[in-house]
Amino acid sequence: MLVLFYIFLFLFLFLCALASFVILIQEAKSMGLGASFGGDSGDSLFGTSTAAVLKKFTAYVVGIFMISCILLSVWSSNIGNHKKTSIPITIESNQ
């Protein structure tokens, strides 16, 4: 179960990087990160009709990111709270 947690954690970090990248490549009102790739403020990185597609994709990625953040939070709190089963010890006294 712990291996599955770490796989999910790796996918969460990848999703975080993907969300950051998708947010940064969107067309901004001013000169943004798209200008560093050689475009001017009027050009989008992938063409002219990608603004709506990137907005929808960003919304889906961020939604999945938020849900996975909550799931990882609950999951990691449950990992540390496993109850240890103890063997009942009875002490007999000799009188």
Side-chain angles (χ1 to χ4, degrees):
M1 191 68 156
L2 196 59
V3 173
L4 188 62
F5 173 75
Y6 284 117
I7 290 171
F8 192 71
L9 185 63
F10 175 75
L11 291 174
F12 175 76
L13 292 174
F14 174 74
L15 189 64
C16 178
L18 179 68
S20 299
F21 179 71
V22 169
I23 289 170
L24 288 175
I25 64 171
Q26 287 185 8
E27 184 178 320
K29 293 180 181 176
S30 64
M31 296 289 284
L33 187 65
S36 66
F37 291 112
D40 61 357
S41 62
D43 292 337
S44 177
L45 183 61
F46 297 112
T48 57
S49 65
T50 58
V53 174
L54 279 177
K55 285 181 184 179
K56 286 182 182 179
F57 184 69
T58 303
Y60 289 133
V61 168
V62 171
I64 294 170
F65 175 79
M66 292 173 64
I67 291 170
S68 62
C69 183
I70 293 169
L71 289 175
L72 266 175
S73 175
V74 170
W75 197 356
S76 64
S77 68
N78 286 337
I79 286 176
N81 290 336
H82 284 298
K83 294 182 180 179
K84 296 180 181 178
T85 58
S86 60
I87 301 171
I89 300 173
T90 58
I91 300 174
E92 297 179 11
S93 61
N94 292 333
Q95 298 210 10

